[in-house]
Amino acid sequence: MSDVLKHECGIAVIRLLKPLEYYKEKYGSAFYGVNKMYLMMEKQHNRGQDGAGFASIKLDTKPGERYISRIRSIAQQPIQDIFGQINERINNTLTAHPEYTNNVALQKQHIPYIGELLLGHVRYGTFGKNSVESVHPFLRQNNWMHRNLIMAGNFNMTNVKELFSNLIELGQHPKEYTDTITIMEKIGHFLDDAVSKIYKDLKKEGYNKREASPLIAERLKVGKILKRAAKNWDGGYAMAGLIGHGDSFVLRDPAGIRPTYYYKDDEVVVVASERPVIQTVFNVNFEDVKELDPGQAIIIKKSGEVRFKQILEPLERKSCSFERIYFSRGSDAEIYQERKMLGKLLMPKVLEAINNDTKNTVFSYIPNTAETSFFGMIETAEAYINKKKTRAILSGQRSLSADKVTEILSERARIEKIAIKDVKLRTFITEDSSRDDLVAHVYDVTYGVIKPEDNLVIIDDSIVRGTTLKMSILKMLDRLNPKKIIVVSSAPQIRYPDCYGIDMANLESLVAFRAALDLLKDANKYHIVEEVYNKCMGQTDLDDKHVQNFVKEIYDPFTDEEISGKISELLSDESVKAEVKIIFQPVENLHKACPNHLGDWYFTGNYPTVGGNRVVNRAFINFYEGNNERAY
């Protein structure tokens, strides 16, 4: 992707179902869970590099013994920083107390981080500051073991304001106005309430406080707590929580927007944001890793019993297609094939753009994450060239010489490594002209492979803002002196802000939106902008379920091709000598490539929850009024 996007986070939960001595005997270490968590977080580092956090709970500890450990980091390499500190603590303790080395009971009693229940999180910041206090897991502490709550999630809520107000109505005084604190305090409220009610029942049955404690753990209904807490949530989420006595859960949103996968055998229960992470770390087959259903929670009781509870009524399934295009690890078997298909489906438009002149066309990709779509595009190009070869040979019949046949057969798609990203340059100079010059040198180019008569086709994952494309990539490619530069986006035009995980909170930064505004000016239809603003303003007091996305009317007068043409104009200035054409994936092709992941609101404006329409209208109001605030 030529524009940096901050996006959804990654979660990992491990519940060891056997005593720690079992893992020491079978795998050689009682730190089996900690080691596996390190691998799971590293395998999901693509999902978040702003910060990382880890928490663990020891089961069945004695009063006075520490049973919760937590560590968080916003270091440059936060995962390594966390586990470096953990390892140092473990090694120092074992050095000071060699008698712990082969005694798992003493290790559990005296060494932090070792435990049967573990939670990991990698973070991209989309709400709030990137301070260590913003890094998950969050901890809600209490002297009652059952009221301790640790939470981490991959989520954004569209109705934080409403949820925050609900907490105040419940008599709480939240310490921060963030979706994470708001969600945790809501669950915490109903957890407290449930624990109090169970204790009152036990007291009536004749149990004292000490006797009641283990019975509370048995009787606590986590599913009921989640149903009460999640009643008014609107957003995309995979929410993980650990309760101090040892129950745990992961809840997925009812539209299935954010991904959640799990695996269970007689040794472990594992939950993660990505399937191949579980496959690799635990060496299990594709079909052994299941997807958590939308609106469902996987609940792991302290006893090790695993339950699946439908917490929220499922909505129409709209799992995020951007996951498939770019964010998730491409090693997932399904995602790999989907990305290849995205490339294949683009090839007819590419052939049209180059007038079927494959002989004078060089194909490449930028950045590395677009490589799989590139493979799909090249497979289709090779198939086209092979058909062309067959026709040439058949039409020549017996008149073709051996040299001519060899010449025909020698044609193949010209593939080159054109763009190389040398370093991640930091734009430490704030002066616009200086920053632009730095951005222009993020990539370097391979010289000597393009002829003046060549077309240059470059495939990218997506084009969001277009800034790097305009300031760096197109100018860099133009140095090779191609006749024509064709930039191909495996994603459709991104027209609308996201409010479920990706940090796209406004409209004016989207190049497709800017192109539509320019087209309205060109067609003397800019009055539509004011009309849309008035319609958006007219909905500000409506309930979310009655709000419509009127921003669609900005795009309605134009075809996809007209908007693509205007984007080409906006991103290529007079300094670029080559003809520039930008091709986007049609939405219908996206659905063909990812038939089970139809969350396409970025491209169509069809938001999967009612809160999305309010967010897009607020984003338009902010744009119109010149307000730089977030839309959610």
Side-chain angles (χ1 to χ4, degrees):
M1 183 177 294
S2 52
D3 297 305
V4 175
L5 284 182
K6 292 186 175 183
H7 55 85
E8 57 267 25
C9 307
I11 59 170
V13 175
I14 297 175
R15 169 65 156 89
L16 303 179
L17 298 176
K18 304 282 189 184
L20 294 180
E21 286 81 1
Y22 172 90
Y23 304 95
K24 169 72 170 174
E25 185 177 339
K26 184 171 180 178
Y27 298 106
S29 173
F31 302 101
Y32 172 84
V34 176
N35 293 334
K36 290 295 187 186
M37 181 56 75
Y38 168 66
L39 291 172
M40 289 185 73
M41 290 173 67
E42 274 291 7
K43 295 294 182 184
Q44 293 187 104
H45 79 271
N46 54 296
R47 303 185 70 85
Q49 293 160 32
D50 285 343
F54 168 89
S56 64
I57 289 179
K58 305 173 193 275
L59 302 183
D60 301 314
T61 56
K62 296 174 183 176
E65 292 180 0
R66 181 179 177 184
Y67 61 96
I68 292 177
S69 299
R70 180 179 64 144
I71 183 169
R72 299 179 292 174
S73 174
I74 55 168
Q76 191 167 9
Q77 295 183 312
I79 301 171
Q80 291 92 326
D81 182 46
I82 282 172
F83 286 93
Q85 291 184 57
I86 290 173
N87 285 334
E88 184 178 9
R89 181 72 178 273
I90 291 169
N91 291 333
N92 288 345
T93 305
L94 291 175
T95 301
H97 299 275
E99 67 273 18
Y100 297 171
T101 303
N102 293 308
N103 190 320
V104 175
L106 289 175
Q107 289 179 5
K108 181 176 174 180
Q109 183 180 353
H110 295 288
I111 299 178
Y113 309 115
I114 184 173
E116 293 88 350
L117 189 52
L118 306 101
L119 173 61
H121 187 266
V122 291
R123 178 180 188 263
Y124 261 127
T126 57
F127 197 108
K129 298 176 181 177
N130 189 38
S131 63
V132 74
E133 288 79 16
S134 303
V135 177
H136 302 200
F138 279 36
L139 172 60
R140 189 177 191 262
Q141 290 182 290
N142 195 287
N143 257 1
W144 282 58
M145 186 178 276
H146 322 87
R147 291 183 176 180
N148 281 288
L149 178 63
I150 307 171
M151 287 203 63
N154 166 19
F155 66 96
N156 264 10
M157 296 295 174
T158 70
N159 61 337
V160 180
K161 186 176 181 180
E162 176 193 340
L163 297 174
F164 189 82
S165 298
N166 289 345
L167 288 178
I168 295 171
E169 288 168 14
L170 290 170
Q172 292 196 15
H173 188 91
K175 64 179 181 180
E176 285 184 48
Y177 181 75
T178 64
D179 47 6
T180 309
I181 290 290
T182 304
I183 292 301
M184 184 173 69
E185 291 300 337
K186 191 75 176 286
I187 295 175
H189 169 81
F190 289 110
L191 174 63
D192 289 347
D193 190 50
V195 170
S196 295
K197 285 178 179 176
I198 295 170
Y199 171 64
K200 286 177 184 176
D201 291 341
L202 289 167
K203 190 177 179 182
K204 288 177 186 176
E205 294 172 27
Y207 293 98
N208 63 36
K209 291 181 179 178
R210 186 167 184 173
E211 292 168 335
S213 189
L215 295 173
I216 291 173
E218 291 176 16
R219 296 190 187 186
L220 194 67
K221 295 181 179 178
V222 177
K224 188 175 180 180
I225 293 168
L226 292 175
K227 277 189 178 183
R228 296 178 73 191
K231 189 175 172 183
N232 298 318
W233 293 356
D234 188 280
Y237 49 86
M239 206 81 65
L242 315 181
I243 301 173
H245 65 268
D247 285 358
S248 58
F249 65 86
V250 179
L251 170 62
R252 191 181 187 193
D253 68 85
I257 296 169
R258 298 272 74 88
T260 315
Y261 296 91
Y262 69 91
Y263 166 75
K264 178 187 181 302
D265 60 22
D266 62 348
E267 293 183 353
V268 293
V269 182
V270 187
V271 187
S273 294
E274 302 208 24
R275 187 201 314 262
V277 170
I278 300 175
Q279 285 183 255
T280 301
V281 173
F282 290 90
N283 191 27
V284 295
N285 296 323
F286 176 92
E287 57 273 11
D288 295 326
V289 182
K290 310 296 183 186
E291 189 172 5
L292 190 65
D293 289 339
Q296 195 176 72
I298 179 171
I299 299 167
I300 311 159
K301 292 295 290 179
K302 176 181 180 290
S303 64
E305 178 192 357
V306 178
R307 303 172 183 174
F308 295 90
K309 294 287 184 182
Q310 196 65 44
I311 304 302
L312 296 162
E313 194 69 30
L315 302 173
E316 183 182 0
R317 188 184 175 97
K318 292 288 184 179
S319 50
C320 173
S321 57
F322 229 147
E323 288 270 355
R324 324 300 288 183
I325 296 168
Y326 172 65
F327 295 138
S328 293
R329 291 177 74 86
S331 56
D332 184 289
E334 287 182 345
I335 291 174
Y336 184 80
Q337 294 303 325
E338 288 166 4
R339 290 183 182 175
K340 283 187 75 174
M341 182 56 70
L342 287 168
K344 289 180 179 181
L345 292 171
L346 279 164
M347 199 58 204
K349 279 195 165 191
V350 173
L351 288 170
E352 183 183 337
I354 62 173
N355 296 317
N356 298 322
D357 185 9
T358 51
K359 185 174 284 189
N360 293 306
T361 299
V362 171
F363 297 91
S364 193
Y365 60 89
I366 185 172
N368 288 341
T369 48
E371 187 177 19
T372 307
S373 295
F374 172 74
F375 288 155
M377 186 173 72
I378 292 304
E379 281 185 12
T380 309
E382 293 282 10
Y384 169 79
I385 292 169
N386 286 338
K387 286 181 182 177
K388 191 164 72 169
K389 292 176 187 177
T390 302
R391 286 196 302 271
I393 291 171
L394 290 176
S395 64
Q397 295 182 353
R398 297 186 180 183
S399 62
L400 293 175
S401 66
D403 288 346
K404 185 62 178 176
V405 171
T406 300
E407 180 187 334
I408 292 170
L409 292 175
S410 66
E411 185 184 345
R412 55 177 309 182
R414 293 170 59 194
I415 302 168
E416 302 290 353
K417 180 73 172 176
I418 292 294
I420 303 141
K421 192 170 186 178
D422 282 337
V423 290
K424 184 176 181 180
L425 290 171
R426 292 187 177 274
T427 52
F428 54 88
I429 300 174
T430 57
E431 184 186 17
D432 284 345
S433 59
S434 300
R435 188 191 308 114
D436 290 348
D437 185 55
L438 284 170
V439 170
H441 289 86
V442 168
Y443 288 90
D444 203 352
V445 68
T446 304
Y447 293 95
V449 295
I450 303 292
K451 304 191 298 290
E453 63 270 24
D454 283 339
N455 304 301
L456 177 55
V457 174
I458 298 280
I459 189 167
D460 195 350
D461 304 291
S462 58
I463 299 168
V464 186
R465 303 177 182 94
T467 308
T468 309
L469 193 57
K470 179 171 184 173
M471 299 309 302
S472 173
I473 295 172
L474 284 175
K475 292 178 179 180
M476 173 195 73
L477 297 177
D478 194 52
R479 291 182 217 146
L480 302 176
N481 297 315
K483 178 179 68 176
K484 193 172 186 179
I485 300 171
I486 299 153
V487 180
V488 187
S489 169
S490 68
Q493 297 166 4
I494 297 172
R495 299 180 172 191
Y496 303 94
D498 178 53
C499 47
Y500 303 106
I502 299 166
D503 196 15
M504 291 194 293
N506 60 44
L507 278 163
E508 57 269 28
S509 65
L510 305 177
V511 68
F513 181 73
R514 299 200 307 271
L517 293 180
D518 274 18
L519 287 170
L520 288 172
K521 290 175 185 174
D522 295 345
N524 293 318
K525 293 181 179 179
Y526 204 75
H527 58 88
I528 291 174
V529 174
E530 185 175 358
E531 292 166 8
V532 169
Y533 171 73
N534 291 330
K535 289 178 180 179
C536 291
M537 288 296 294
Q539 298 186 106
T540 51
D541 294 326
L542 296 180
D543 289 340
D544 285 353
K545 62 184 177 182
H546 299 305
V547 176
Q548 300 178 56
N549 179 0
F550 285 116
V551 181
K552 290 183 179 183
E553 295 181 12
I554 297 293
Y555 299 98
D556 285 346
F558 312 112
T559 65
D560 291 355
E561 286 71 23
E562 286 174 318
I563 293 173
S564 295
K566 179 56 74 171
I567 290 172
S568 300
E569 288 180 30
L570 290 176
L571 298 185
S572 58
D573 56 35
E574 64 278 358
S575 67
V576 177
K577 300 185 291 295
E579 179 187 348
V580 174
K581 183 176 180 64
I582 297 179
I583 296 173
F584 288 89
Q585 186 82 256
V587 172
E588 56 269 25
N589 280 355
L590 173 65
H591 292 169
K592 286 179 187 175
C594 310
N596 299 317
H597 303 272
L598 302 177
D600 60 7
W601 58 92
Y602 316 90
F603 321 115
T604 64
N606 298 328
Y607 286 91
T609 75
V610 293
N613 288 337
R614 176 177 47 78
V615 169
V616 69
N617 287 341
R618 170 48 59 186
F620 189 84
I621 291 169
N622 288 347
F623 150 73
Y624 189 88
E625 295 179 350
N627 184 349
N628 200 32
E629 291 180 5
R630 297 178 66 88
Y632 60 93

